[in-house]
Amino acid sequence: MSDFPPYKSVVFLGAPGTGKGTQGKVLGALPGFVHLSTGEMFRALDPASELGREFLKYASRGELVPDAFTVFLWQEHMAKLIASKKFNPQTELLVLDGIPRNAHQATLMDDHISVLRIVHLDCPDETDLVRRLQLRAKKEGRPDDAREEVVHRRLEVYREETHPVLEHYPADLIATVNAMGTPAEVMLEVLGVLAPVHAAHFANPLTEPAAR
Ligand code: ADP
């Protein structure tokens, strides 16, 4: 076993506001799971730095950050997580939220991740999503949630670029979960999908030290 990629991963895929971050965070609190959100990774950049400014330029318009920059930053972030012992690829399942976000990123990521399952958080009704994003804008003050035209652009980018990522993977890897329940109801379904994946690939982190 090695610390090098491909990392065993599961991917949350869903439109803005479907709860990828909420579900990912809860999951990441469980021993054996490590959550990584690329949105959070970008928001942690110093907004006055060159990288931070580059991110804000795209995010404030509702656009995706360019692929090469995104994947490069993600790789650096992974190396830091491993070096600081926040992620052990041999014993922990990586939960990705926000990447890959278009077909090209999915191809670039093929060298870095071994995707064991995709959880597609599905919300057929966009008006619900807009409402959730408006609520989040008030709570978190995110620059990309505040303006309605930016929210609509993000939903459009999701439809045109991110949803097609599903076609990059074999259909039997994809589990579609209705994102419209309460966070707890959605989590129940997500765990129904992911607990067996974790158990099939990793030892119980509370009783055994090594990966299967
Ligand atoms: P949400 O899913 O709610 O839209 P995220 O927190 O995942 O928000 O991402 C916020 C912003 O960060 C995106 O709108 C985009 O500008 C940028 N971003 C996040 N992940 C990626 C990615 N994989 N590729 C390009 N841009 C990204």
Side-chain angles (χ1 to χ4, degrees):
M1 293 293 287
S2 86
D3 277 356
F4 299 106
Y7 311 120
K8 287 181 183 165
S9 309
V10 292
V11 172
F12 276 111
L13 203 121
T18 48
K20 302 181 297 290
T22 304
Q23 296 297 320
K25 243 178 240 149
V26 177
L27 210 55
L30 286 175
F33 293 81
V34 171
H35 170 231
L36 169 54
S37 147
T38 47
E40 275 179 18
M41 172 186 89
F42 280 128
R43 282 187 290 278
L45 294 171
D46 174 357
S49 68
E50 202 176 322
L51 295 181
R53 279 203 306 270
E54 187 72 1
F55 159 63
L56 280 174
K57 185 170 95 190
Y58 293 96
S60 61
R61 297 197 304 245
E63 303 290 341
L64 298 183
V65 177
D67 298 337
F69 172 39
T70 298
V71 173
F72 172 75
L73 210 67
W74 176 83
Q75 278 178 273
E76 274 204 329
H77 193 75
M78 291 307 303
K80 277 188 213 147
L81 286 181
I82 293 169
S84 61
K85 303 204 182 319
K86 289 185 181 141
F87 173 52
N88 180 344
Q90 297 169 33
T91 57
E92 292 173 310
L93 179 61
L94 184 63
V95 179
L96 289 176
D97 140 20
I99 194 167
R101 225 175 171 102
N102 60 28
H104 182 230
Q105 286 185 13
T107 304
L108 294 175
M109 294 292 284
D110 280 343
D111 290 337
H112 305 294
I113 54 176
S114 160
V115 177
L116 304 176
R117 209 90 162 92
I118 314 253
V119 177
H120 171 209
L121 291 175
D122 187 36
C123 172
D125 184 356
E126 278 196 1
T127 52
D128 269 339
L129 293 181
V130 174
R131 222 171 296 130
R132 283 191 189 195
L133 292 170
Q134 283 167 341
L135 204 68
R136 187 167 79 181
K138 279 193 205 134
K139 277 194 191 148
E140 297 177 17
R142 270 177 53 170
D144 51 348
D145 282 340
R147 288 188 7 239
E148 196 169 330
E149 69 268 26
V150 176
V151 165
H152 283 287
R153 179 63 191 139
R154 276 158 67 210
L155 291 170
E156 196 173 70
V157 168
Y158 174 76
R159 253 183 273 121
E160 288 169 3
E161 297 196 44
T162 309
H163 192 265
V165 166
L166 290 171
E167 286 154 34
H168 181 85
Y169 297 100
D172 61 0
L173 281 193
I174 300 165
T176 297
V177 167
N178 177 2
M180 286 298 97
T182 65
E185 286 169 331
V186 177
M187 176 50 46
L188 196 60
E189 269 199 66
V190 166
L191 277 178
V193 173
L194 296 184
V197 174
H198 182 273
H201 290 272
F202 295 94
N204 183 338
L206 299 183
T207 55
E208 304 162 67
R212 281 191 204 285

